[in-house]
Amino acid sequence: METLFIYIAKSSGLIALFYFAYYFLLRKETFFTANRWYLLAGLFTSVILPWIVFTTIVWVEPTPTNFDWSRLPMRPVKDESLEINWYLVLAGAYIIGIALLLIQFAFDFYNLNRVLKGKSIQRQADHKFIDLKENIAPFSYFNTIVYNSSLYSEAEMESILEHEKVHSEQYHTVDVLITRFFCILFWFNPFMWLYKKAILQNLEFIADSEAAKNISDKKAYQLTLLKITTHENCVVLTNHFYQSLIKKRIVMLNKNQSKKWNSWKYVLILPALIAFVFLFQMEVIAKEKNLSPKVEQSVSEDVDIYKITKNTTEAELKEKAEILKEKYDIKTTFSKIKRNSNNELIGLKIKLQKGKEAETVTEVNSSEPIKDFAIAISKNENGTTNIGIVTEKNKGNDKLTLSNNVISPNTRISADTQIYIDGEKSEKAEMDELDPKEIATVNVTKNDEKKEIRIITKNFSTIGDENEIYINGKKVTQNELEQLEQGSIDRIDINNNSGKKSMRIVTKNGTYYQDKNMPVPPVPPTPPTMKFKAPKSPAFPKAPKAPKGDPITGDKKAWKDFEKKMEEFDKQMKKLEPQMEAFDKQMAEFDKQMEPFNKEMEAFDEKMKVFDKQMEEYMSKVEKENKK
């Protein structure tokens, strides 16, 4: 799930990048068709590029290491408390948003079909024409053009049809639907809605530009635009002849064509995309030179060593597990894999199991890269297998001994270490007297230099059906007890009344079962709180309504009054230009406040790469076990 959020964050960032490039570099240029393909390419690049990862392998010199044997798994105790799964909360909110917008999309599609259903259709070449009686602004939907001819003169209808034919012939409806689809997927991203507005405006610029070429009276076409603005009853999912920012369309109609050399601006997006790839889509894997794929190092002729370093990859861990299974029939499980921003191992849990003959569990969890260690395998003279973990703590040559979760008598245990056997505090001498074959589990914890060793014997763990087991106050079965993670135990109380034994266990986080092998996702950064509300464009004055007829044959006095009103309208529009500049500055401030969050997302992205690989391995393992 965390991988999905990282992907969405990357795609949202790319959408914002393409929008800013268009807004500051291209929106005032008259390369309307080129802008159309640029905006569409920006959307598809934003969803495709985050999937592409480039891998670089760096070969490093092998680190010479002398190992000794450490059989006691040490693990720092973390303060575990019940936490809200924010990934599920965010995923729920995201899905709810998509569901609501899909419902709205279905409702809009229904309204469109209701307008078109049962109407008389006139066919001309590749176009379908529907003449309605309702007061609806003219629009096109694929090759269907809808209008109300009773509202317009013959000359106005000519302008309208030329405009809508451009929408139909260039399949602008596809652009509208694609944009709507992206708005549903990225509904939380304010730049996606601005992106949609830019695409729709550019489509109108294209239609105006092409239609004006086929109309002799350009001024009459502009007057038709103003008249259509009075019809605000539009149908969604279509290309409207009406657009609220009518001034921009008129300005673009009268603007001189941009010089061809200005097309160099399109190339400026490439350095930004290359930087995105190098920052977020490059994965560096370090491998040691001249390493045998099976046995990395031997401390004696009878011992095989499989080394693990901070740069060991998930693929290499999987390879070691396969070798151990094939050569020694040892089931090896790597879980709780954690990495830092440099892709170095900082956390790892290893479980080695060979039937009932030998078992060892070791876990490392730190904020620093792990120290080099290795899995050591040897055979005894009687044919049994010895399994051990070798580290760099001491440079001795101790003989490899069986690490069946047993603490041998010569193991160094500090005086302040507290020892518990079957929940009761015990002395080291009692621990030394234990028969290793009777030990079920050993859990060693360390917190602020204070060590605890908790041993559960087989006789204790199997207390019988006639006895009672409670975990966090809830009565459980023997099977549920066996699934309890030993590291989660906070306290064990034993009662023996009249020969009936009861065991009460209290865990640290209040839960008594969790999948030991399931990876733990990193915590996503918190989005910034904006210091101002989302910027809004200024309210534009309403354009004056054009008189009936045309300036030549119509009411000349009315048309003269209309021209005066248009002059006043232009003055009001000019006064709004400072507000538009202020709007641009607010948008720049919005981008500036997003910068710290973007840096946090970079670090979060690296952690998500590691978690994604862990989840793939975990899900693959679960599927295999379910098939058995």
Side-chain angles (χ1 to χ4, degrees):
M1 187 177 295
E2 190 175 353
T3 303
L4 174 64
F5 288 130
I6 286 185
Y7 168 77
I8 292 175
K10 288 182 179 180
S11 295
S12 299
L14 285 173
I15 288 172
L17 175 65
F18 276 95
Y19 174 76
F20 281 128
Y22 171 80
Y23 185 84
F24 292 107
L25 299 175
L26 302 172
R27 67 186 174 94
K28 294 183 180 180
E29 302 295 340
T30 59
F31 305 130
F32 304 132
T33 301
N35 284 347
R36 177 193 181 188
W37 300 121
Y38 165 85
L39 290 169
L40 288 177
L43 290 179
F44 287 105
T45 301
S46 298
V47 297
I48 294 174
L49 189 58
W51 287 114
I52 302 174
V53 178
F54 299 91
T55 302
T56 302
I57 298 177
V58 178
W59 294 95
V60 297
E61 295 295 333
T63 305
T65 309
N66 293 321
F67 296 101
D68 76 338
W69 316 113
S70 175
R71 302 175 300 282
L72 188 61
M74 300 300 294
R75 174 174 62 183
V77 176
K78 296 185 293 185
D79 183 15
E80 299 178 359
S81 58
L82 185 61
E83 295 182 356
I84 298 175
N85 191 333
W86 290 108
Y87 290 110
L88 291 178
V89 174
L90 292 175
Y94 178 64
I95 292 173
I96 290 172
I98 290 179
L100 292 176
L101 289 175
L102 284 174
I103 293 172
Q104 184 183 18
F105 177 83
F107 182 74
D108 294 339
F109 192 77
Y110 169 77
N111 287 337
L112 173 61
N113 285 334
R114 190 176 62 177
V115 171
L116 301 179
K117 187 176 181 180
K119 300 299 188 296
S120 177
I121 300 176
Q122 296 180 358
R123 298 179 182 274
Q124 181 180 340
D126 296 330
H127 301 288
K128 298 177 182 179
F129 298 91
I130 298 179
D131 192 352
L132 300 176
K133 294 182 180 180
E134 290 86 350
N135 183 17
I136 294 179
F139 67 87
S140 64
Y141 181 70
F142 289 104
N143 64 339
T144 301
I145 299 175
V146 183
Y147 55 88
N148 185 347
S149 60
S150 63
L151 299 176
Y152 312 103
S153 65
E154 184 176 348
E156 291 170 341
M157 281 305 306
E158 179 185 359
S159 299
I160 291 171
L161 293 179
E162 287 294 335
H163 179 96
E164 297 302 331
K165 283 180 181 179
V166 175
H167 282 312
S168 177
E169 291 169 356
Q170 296 191 11
Y171 302 101
H172 289 178
T173 303
V174 176
D175 299 44
V176 175
L177 293 176
I178 290 174
T179 307
R180 183 68 178 270
F181 176 72
F182 273 84
C183 283
I184 292 174
L185 288 181
F186 297 94
W187 59 266
F188 56 89
N189 186 358
F191 296 106
M192 185 61 241
W193 298 95
L194 295 174
Y195 206 105
K196 173 189 175 184
K197 183 178 179 182
I199 287 180
L200 297 182
Q201 286 181 1
N202 188 67
L203 293 179
E204 295 303 319
F205 295 157
I206 293 174
D208 289 339
S209 177
E210 296 297 323
K213 294 178 182 178
N214 300 324
I215 298 174
S216 57
D217 191 347
K218 197 172 182 179
K219 184 175 181 180
Y221 180 80
Q222 296 177 44
L223 293 175
T224 302
L225 291 181
L226 290 174
K227 183 175 181 179
I228 299 300
T229 58
T230 60
H231 299 283
E232 299 182 358
N233 187 15
C234 300
V235 179
V236 296
L237 301 181
T238 61
N239 301 111
H240 311 302
F241 190 87
Y242 160 76
Q243 284 288 330
S244 61
L245 297 179
I246 194 66
K247 181 185 176 184
K248 288 186 177 181
R249 293 174 61 183
I250 295 176
V251 169
M252 285 298 184
L253 270 174
N254 293 280
K255 190 173 183 178
N256 294 329
Q257 293 294 315
S258 300
K259 296 179 181 180
K260 291 185 178 180
W261 68 270
N262 284 345
S263 59
W264 64 268
K265 294 180 180 180
Y266 290 102
V267 184
L268 292 180
I269 193 65
L270 294 179
L273 293 178
I274 293 172
F276 175 85
V277 170
F278 275 97
L279 287 174
F280 303 107
Q281 303 304 109
M282 297 294 294
E283 181 178 1
V284 179
I285 298 176
K287 289 189 175 182
E288 292 186 350
K289 298 178 181 179
N290 302 323
L291 279 181
S292 170
K294 293 187 177 181
V295 181
E296 285 87 351
Q297 184 177 350
S298 293
V299 295
S300 72
E301 295 180 356
D302 300 327
V303 179
D304 286 346
I305 299 297
Y306 299 85
K307 188 164 67 173
I308 297 175
T309 70
K310 62 183 180 182
N311 296 317
T312 301
T313 65
E314 276 76 358
E316 291 171 336
L317 292 175
K318 185 177 181 182
E319 181 184 15
K320 296 178 194 298
E322 292 173 353
I323 294 170
L324 290 170
K325 180 65 176 176
E326 179 181 354
K327 189 173 181 180
Y328 296 102
D329 194 27
I330 296 175
K331 182 180 179 181
T332 306
T333 304
F334 296 102
S335 60
K336 296 186 179 180
I337 302 174
K338 296 181 181 179
R339 296 183 183 272
N340 58 20
S341 58
N342 296 324
N343 206 32
E344 297 173 329
L345 278 172
I346 59 174
L348 178 65
K349 182 177 181 180
I350 305 173
K351 181 179 180 180
L352 303 169
Q353 177 74 49
K354 183 175 174 61
K356 297 181 179 179
E357 181 182 340
E359 175 184 346
T360 184
V361 179
T362 299
E363 182 174 352
V364 181
N365 191 359
S366 174
S367 59
E368 300 295 329
I370 66 171
K371 300 291 182 63
D372 293 355
F373 66 95
I375 301 170
I377 310 295
S378 72
K379 288 282 188 178
N380 291 329
E381 294 179 358
N382 59 4
T384 59
T385 303
N386 296 325
I387 306 173
I389 301 296
V390 292
T391 67
E392 288 185 282
K393 292 181 179 178
N394 299 307
K395 297 182 179 180
N397 292 315
D398 296 349
K399 182 180 178 181
L400 181 62
T401 58
L402 179 65
S403 57
N404 189 22
N405 274 339
V406 177
I407 304 171
S408 60
N410 59 355
T411 303
R412 296 180 182 176
I413 299 178
S414 58
D416 60 343
T417 300
Q418 296 182 352
I419 302 171
Y420 295 86
I421 301 176
D422 292 340
E424 297 182 0
K425 192 171 183 179
S426 308
E427 300 296 331
K428 183 177 181 299
E430 297 177 72
M431 181 186 69
D432 294 341
E433 293 175 358
L434 285 176
D435 184 353
K437 295 180 180 179
E438 297 301 321
I439 295 178
T441 60
V442 175
N443 186 56
V444 182
T445 58
K446 180 179 179 181
N447 187 12
D448 297 330
E449 302 302 326
K450 182 180 180 181
K451 299 178 183 178
E452 287 186 359
I453 300 175
R454 291 184 177 269
I455 301 174
I456 303 295
T457 64
K458 294 179 180 178
N459 292 332
F460 174 78
S461 60
T462 310
I463 64 175
D465 296 334
E466 71 279 1
N467 299 296
E468 297 178 337
I469 309 171
Y470 295 89
I471 300 179
N472 296 326
K474 180 181 178 182
K475 189 174 182 180
V476 299
T477 63
Q478 176 69 31
N479 183 49
E480 290 176 302
L481 173 64
E482 292 174 355
Q483 296 182 57
L484 177 65
E485 184 181 11
Q486 300 301 317
S488 66
I489 296 176
D490 182 58
R491 189 177 73 255
I492 301 177
D493 296 326
I494 308 298
N495 294 316
N496 194 345
N497 295 323
S498 301
K500 187 175 182 180
K501 186 186 297 183
S502 66
M503 175 172 59
R504 296 183 179 272
I505 300 175
V506 178
T507 62
K508 298 171 185 175
N509 56 7
T511 62
Y512 64 88
Y513 175 74
Q514 64 181 24
D515 192 335
K516 300 178 182 180
N517 298 325
M518 180 175 289
V520 179
V523 179
T526 304
T529 302
M530 297 302 169
K531 298 180 181 179
F532 59 90
K533 296 182 179 180
K536 296 182 180 180
S537 59
F540 292 96
K542 188 174 182 180
K545 184 177 180 180
K548 296 182 179 179
D550 57 77
I552 299 176
T553 59
D555 188 345
K556 295 184 179 180
K557 182 179 179 182
W559 276 100
K560 189 174 182 180
D561 292 339
F562 174 71
E563 290 178 356
K564 290 181 180 178
K565 293 178 181 179
M566 279 301 301
E567 291 177 0
E568 182 63 26
F569 175 75
D570 289 339
K571 290 179 182 178
Q572 293 177 2
M573 291 296 293
K574 192 171 184 180
K575 290 180 181 179
L576 291 177
E577 291 181 356
Q579 297 183 35
M580 285 301 298
E581 293 177 0
F583 174 73
D584 292 342
K585 291 180 180 178
Q586 286 181 316
M587 288 302 301
E589 179 64 24
F590 178 84
D591 182 49
K592 183 178 179 181
Q593 293 189 29
M594 287 294 292
E595 287 181 2
F597 177 68
N598 291 336
K599 292 181 179 178
E600 293 178 1
M601 284 300 299
E602 291 177 11
F604 177 67
D605 176 54
E606 296 297 327
K607 297 178 181 178
M608 282 302 299
K609 290 180 182 178
V610 178
F611 177 71
D612 185 31
K613 293 180 180 178
Q614 295 173 6
M615 283 302 298
E616 288 179 2
E617 295 179 359
Y618 171 76
M619 293 303 297
S620 176
K621 179 182 176 182
V622 171
E623 290 177 1
K624 290 180 180 179
E625 292 179 351
N626 290 337
K627 291 179 180 178
K628 294 180 180 180

